[in-house]
Amino acid sequence: MKMNRLLFVLCFCASLLVANSVAQQESARLSANLALTPPMGWNSWNKFGCNVSEEMIRNMADAVVKSGMRDAGYQYVNIDDCWQVSRDASGNIVVDPQHFPHGMKPVGDYIHSLGLKFGVYSDAGSKTCAGRPGGLGHEYQDAIQYAAWGVDYLKYDWCSSTTQDARASYANIRAALDAAGRPIVLSICEWGTAKPWLWGQEVGGNLWRSTGDIQDRWEGKKEWKPGDCCSYGVLAIVDQEAPLYSYAGPGHWNDPDMLEVGNGGMTDIEYRSHFSLWAILAAPLIAGNDLRDMRPEIHDILTNKEVIAVDQDPIGRQGKRVWKNGDLEVWSKQMKDGSRAVVLLNRGSAEQKINVNWEDLGYPTHFSAEVRDLWQHQDMGKFTGKFSAAVISHGVVMVAVRP
Ligand code: GLA
């Protein structure tokens, strides 16, 4: 009798173990094939901050379609901070009833009806960066709610995280999302403090911010308040991203923050450089401007399919800075077909000629290669050993080099 009971207990435990490992495999599968190329979409924060509403988000989703951005590859419509106001007596997150009068599900349904995907924002700590309720202690409950709303993308911030361990906190929300049974892209927004490029992939993060917030400016940085550093211009972010190239790949990307293209703080030349650099960095392309009234110049930057193709190349290599001399730089990204996407960047204040030597791209000098200008949409002809171009101040020339 005793033996029978022992056998029963053993069998019961074994079946639990098997069920558990099957469940684990299931959840590993669930989030395994997300973000195989850098995510593309739109997010409310850079332009609208806390001014989010159902109406604005619906209009923006319409604009993603009407502007041709959806056709260019933009998929996610992401509501950043400030959609949430409190928790109810059972701990459920409460959506701002004034700005989202129908709750979140209809917003997600509408976005999906346009063939787009739906993203929301929360925070691993007790409060979001705008002081709204965070996710701490509610991870599984929130994940179930997000899944029920049809959420496809979660940006998870790091404010009010006090003594929390970053790696453990993000592993926890990934486990919660997987347990909720819906494949959800996890965007780790920890600003690079605990070097998420070293552990982000392992905990199931699909992208991780590697820097503080972007600011709509070309260079430099600005303290938030005295002693509290900083938000950064495009060049400052690029310099922080440059050494991280080996950590990016399909499903797991360094995130230099969302785009500021079209928000008014830079010239169109600088916005074109910003977009080109994000593409060569294989960065997520999350537009942050008002898509409802874009100038044609801004539209043409955001929807340049040749530049987007560089960002979205399936091999998923992040480009490297392969040459630098003062204000002049050459960046190169290996593409799946063996070609290179190349950015010639002039950070200086006057036009300068920049040379690209094949050796710096990893090609022998005697190779002859076709060069195509990705902004002029023009074949430049065949070149042997090198290519050079005049690059205007704060501008880029972006080319494909195909031997
Ligand atoms: C942090 C993030 C930003 C944005 C705000 C929202 O600063 O880094 O991208 O999400 O919070 O409050």
Side-chain angles (χ1 to χ4, degrees):
M1 187 62 183
K2 267 197 174 151
M3 195 61 186
N4 276 349
R5 195 176 295 163
L6 187 64
L7 265 178
F8 173 78
V9 169
L10 278 176
C11 288
F12 182 66
C13 289
S15 65
L16 273 185
L17 277 177
V18 169
N20 197 24
S21 87
V22 168
Q24 271 172 8
Q25 280 168 18
E26 199 68 41
S27 59
R29 263 205 302 278
L30 195 64
S31 53
N33 288 317
L34 294 170
L36 294 181
T37 61
M40 292 177 66
W42 178 88
N43 172 294
S44 53
W45 183 256
N46 283 355
K47 171 75 185 175
F48 296 94
C50 261
N51 295 320
V52 287
S53 69
E54 171 173 353
E55 197 195 350
M56 184 271 277
I57 297 294
R58 280 178 183 256
N59 292 339
M60 210 58 71
D62 288 337
V64 174
V65 179
K66 277 194 209 129
S67 62
M69 299 233 344
R70 182 185 64 183
D71 293 341
Y74 294 84
Q75 252 194 325
Y76 295 97
V77 176
N78 295 348
I79 311 175
D80 207 277
D81 209 345
C82 301
W83 57 266
Q84 62 285 72
V85 284
S86 57
R87 290 196 181 269
D88 69 14
S90 313
N92 297 309
I93 193 76
V94 176
V95 178
D96 178 349
Q98 209 189 330
H99 295 103
F100 293 89
H102 306 101
M104 277 300 170
K105 176 87 168 66
V107 180
D109 287 349
Y110 185 70
I111 290 169
H112 289 145
S113 77
L114 300 175
L116 298 168
K117 292 186 167 174
F118 176 37
V120 291
Y121 160 102
S122 187
D123 188 291
S126 57
K127 283 189 176 160
T128 71
C129 294
R132 305 300 175 98
L136 184 62
H138 296 274
E139 293 83 359
Y140 281 73
Q141 185 176 20
D142 286 348
I144 290 168
Q145 181 64 270
Y146 299 152
W149 289 339
V151 166
D152 306 295
Y153 186 115
L154 175 68
K155 172 175 167 185
Y156 218 49
D157 216 334
W158 192 236
C159 277
S160 305
S161 53
T162 61
T163 58
Q164 281 173 249
D165 177 68
R167 185 189 166 117
S169 300
Y170 286 99
N172 193 26
I173 187 65
R174 165 48 79 203
L177 293 173
D178 283 351
R182 189 173 168 88
I184 297 179
V185 168
L186 175 60
S187 159
I188 296 176
C189 181
E190 184 271 353
W191 324 309
T193 319
K195 299 190 170 68
W197 46 90
L198 297 178
W199 47 262
Q201 181 187 7
E202 219 173 296
V203 303
N206 299 109
L207 56 155
W208 45 81
R209 281 273 299 279
S210 44
T211 70
D213 286 8
I214 193 170
Q215 239 209 336
D216 188 10
R217 59 195 277 169
W218 176 243
E219 56 194 334
K221 62 185 180 187
K222 188 178 161 217
E223 274 190 334
W224 278 318
K225 45 184 191 271
D228 190 2
C229 195
C230 284
S231 52
Y232 298 91
V234 161
L235 292 183
I237 287 190
V238 160
D239 289 338
Q240 294 175 70
E241 278 276 300
L244 303 180
Y245 56 83
S246 65
Y247 300 103
H252 53 97
W253 309 99
N254 294 308
D255 175 8
D257 206 356
M258 304 172 292
L259 297 164
E260 290 284 10
V261 175
N263 279 337
M266 289 183 253
T267 66
D268 289 351
I269 290 162
E270 291 166 343
Y271 281 140
R272 205 168 69 173
S273 301
H274 171 22
F275 196 71
S276 305
L277 288 163
W278 261 233
I280 207 103
L281 288 168
L285 298 179
I286 309 290
N289 58 319
D290 191 341
L291 307 177
R292 298 169 299 188
D293 62 353
M294 280 188 278
R295 286 184 295 114
E297 292 81 0
I298 298 302
H299 171 271
D300 292 352
I301 292 172
L302 289 171
T303 58
N304 182 330
K305 290 187 183 173
E306 293 195 76
V307 173
I308 291 172
V310 171
D311 181 77
Q312 294 289 302
D313 182 72
I315 203 174
R317 293 285 166 85
Q318 177 172 323
K320 300 183 203 178
R321 180 158 46 198
V322 294
W323 181 86
K324 181 170 174 69
N325 183 6
D327 287 332
L328 309 182
E329 299 179 2
V330 175
W331 291 73
S332 167
K333 180 182 197 286
Q334 188 183 337
M335 304 287 281
K336 189 175 181 210
D337 65 2
S339 68
R340 304 285 188 264
V342 180
V343 166
L344 291 65
L345 169 68
N346 177 4
R347 304 161 79 122
S349 54
E351 180 172 306
Q352 299 255 21
K353 191 171 148 210
I354 301 182
N355 280 318
V356 179
N357 294 309
W358 276 198
E359 276 177 335
D360 293 330
L361 308 182
Y363 294 146
T365 313
H366 68 268
F367 265 31
S368 156
E370 302 275 2
V371 174
R372 180 172 171 81
D373 188 309
L374 304 184
W375 285 107
Q376 303 304 321
H377 303 295
Q378 205 181 338
D379 291 327
M380 309 300 288
K382 279 200 153 200
F383 293 79
T384 304
K386 66 175 183 161
F387 169 78
S388 35
V391 186
I392 50 176
S393 162
H394 295 189
V396 295
V397 166
M398 187 169 186
V399 294
V401 179
R402 295 194 178 92

